[in-house]
Amino acid sequence: MRLRAFWASLLAISLWLGPGLAAEVRIENFAFAPVHITVRAGETVVFVNHDQAPHSIIGAMGKEEIFHSPEHVDEDESFDVTLTRLGEVSFRCGLHSHMSGTITVVP
């Protein structure tokens, strides 16, 4: 019975989130995980900070900045972005230069 309740809860959550949620990128131990992801155009990527320190997330395609989180995304806060342009998006922490990753946006 517990398993049935679990699957029903999971289905309800997925319906509530809708089809646009593609991936979650965790921020833990001053690193992004996963570092490389692939999403479809129109899907949303959620960055969740599990560190006690604040972080910021900046995304660029080439030299063009395409998204920027608030200056401080604090512990247990999140920032999400919906990506519509095809190609390679590099992202980094604006506060900690060693933190970076990539998102490949496909059709």
Side-chain angles (χ1 to χ4, degrees), residues 41-91:
E43 292 182 323
T44 299
V45 178
V46 179
F47 294 86
V48 182
N49 184 5
H50 294 291
D51 276 342
Q52 290 182 346
H55 296 281
S56 72
I57 303 100
I58 301 167
M61 292 185 95
K63 294 186 183 212
E64 178 188 0
E65 185 177 298
I66 61 168
F67 64 82
H68 195 291
S69 72
E71 187 172 332
H72 291 164
V73 177
D74 291 318
E75 181 179 17
D76 296 326
E77 290 183 345
S78 64
F79 169 74
D80 60 88
V81 61
T82 301
L83 301 167
T84 57
R85 289 175 48 189
L86 302 181
E88 190 88 353
V89 178
S90 60
F91 62 88

Side-chain angles (χ1 to χ4, degrees), residues 3 17 25 27 31 36 43 46 51 53 62 65 69 73 93 97 106:
L3 188 58
L17 289 174
V25 177
I27 303 170
H36 307 289
E43 292 182 323
V46 179
D51 276 342
E65 185 177 298
S69 72
V73 177
C93 178
S97 61
V106 297

